[in-house]
Amino acid sequence: MQTAIPDQRKATRPRADALRNRERIVLAAREMFVEHGPDVPLDDVARRAGVGNATVYRNFPDRDALVREVVCSVMDRTARAAELALAETGDAFEALERFVHASADERISALCPMVASTFDQHHPDLEAARGRVERLVAEVMDRAKAAGQLRGDVGVGDLMIAAAQLSRPPAGTGCVNADRFVHRHLQLFLDGLRAPARSVLPGAAVTLEDLRRPCDQ
C-alpha cells in the first residue's frame, strides 16, 4: 500500500479583511498627517479608519513604522503615475504634465519632509521607493527632452523642488483652502519648462545629487 504524500503547506497569507483594515489605516493616516502633521494621535487615526486601537498597533508597532508605510505608499502611487505617463504614446510633454499634476494630488510634497524628522532616511523600504520614483521621473523628463518639447537646461531636481514647493500649502494656510491654487500654479511652472526656452536660467540644472548634498556644502 502506498503512503499518501502530504501536500506542502501553503504560505500563510493575510485575510482579505486584514488587508482592508491595513489599507484603511494607511489611507486615514495619510489624510491626517497631511492635515495635522506626523504627531497626530494614533487613536485619532484609528477612529478615522474605523478600526480599533489594537488593530493599528498590530499592523504598525510604532509611529515610525506607520509614517514610513504612508510615505512609501504615496511614493509607490507616484511611481505608478510615472509609469502611466511612460506608457502613453501621445504627446510627451502632455504626459509629463499629467504626471506632475497627479503627483501633486498624492500629497507627496507634504509627506516627504516627515521622513527627515521622524525616522531613518536610509531604511531599505524608503530607499527602494525613492529610487524607483527618481528613476521614473528622469525617464519621463528624458522622453520629453528627446521630443524637443522640454527645455534642456532643467534637471530632475529642478522639477522635484518646484513641484514640491508649489504643491505644499503656505505656512498658516489650511490644505483645503490652498488646494484651489495648486494646479493653477503648477501649470504656470510647467508652461515655463516648454522648449524652446524664452530665457537663460541662472546657475546649472539641479541634479538628484544636489538635493542630497548637505545645506552647508
Side-chain angles (χ1 to χ4, degrees):
M1 186 173 93
Q2 290 184 336
T3 302
I5 300 174
D7 292 335
Q8 292 184 341
R9 295 185 63 186
K10 295 181 179 179
T12 302
R13 299 181 63 182
R15 297 193 325 242
D17 58 341
L19 290 174
R20 285 194 295 270
N21 282 341
R22 185 179 178 88
E23 291 171 358
R24 282 199 291 264
I25 293 167
V26 173
L27 177 60
R30 173 194 170 202
E31 293 172 351
M32 299 198 77
F33 290 165
V34 169
E35 295 169 12
H36 307 292
D39 295 327
V40 63
L42 297 188
D43 289 354
D44 292 352
V45 173
R47 277 193 291 273
R48 180 170 293 195
V51 300
N53 296 359
T55 302
V56 173
Y57 287 104
R58 187 161 54 246
N59 282 275
F60 305 101
D62 54 40
R63 183 181 300 275
D64 284 359
L66 179 55
V67 174
R68 181 169 56 248
E69 180 67 18
V70 169
V71 173
C72 286
S73 70
V74 170
M75 285 189 174
D76 287 342
R77 289 168 62 92
T78 301
R80 286 196 291 273
E83 288 173 339
L84 288 174
L86 289 170
E88 294 182 14
T89 58
D91 187 285
F93 194 89
E94 288 182 3
L96 172 64
E97 289 179 321
R98 280 190 287 274
F99 162 71
V100 171
H101 286 292
S103 299
D105 287 337
E106 291 300 332
R107 301 293 198 180
I108 195 168
S109 62
L111 292 171
C112 284
M114 299 177 191
V115 174
S117 60
T118 59
F119 61 88
D120 181 12
Q121 297 183 52
H122 302 294
H123 188 281
D125 292 347
L126 181 63
E127 287 197 328
R130 182 168 51 214
R132 181 181 175 214
V133 169
E134 291 173 350
R135 174 179 57 79
L136 289 167
V137 172
E139 288 185 32
V140 174
M141 293 182 68
D142 287 345
R143 194 176 71 157
K145 285 182 179 179
Q149 297 173 305
L150 175 64
R151 54 190 299 166
D153 57 351
V154 294
V156 177
D158 291 306
L159 180 69
M160 296 180 75
I161 288 175
Q165 291 177 339
L166 290 172
S167 58
R168 188 177 304 156
T173 302
C175 294
V176 175
N177 294 331
D179 273 354
R180 65 185 187 274
F181 303 125
V182 169
H183 293 288
R184 174 183 176 86
H185 294 163
L186 279 175
Q187 192 58 49
L188 285 170
F189 163 68
L190 287 164
D191 286 348
L193 294 183
R194 281 190 177 274
R198 297 189 177 183
S199 61
V200 177
L201 294 176
V206 179
T207 66
L208 295 175
E209 289 70 26
D210 292 330
L211 296 184
R212 298 190 182 100
R213 190 173 297 125
C215 295
D216 56 355
Q217 292 186 10

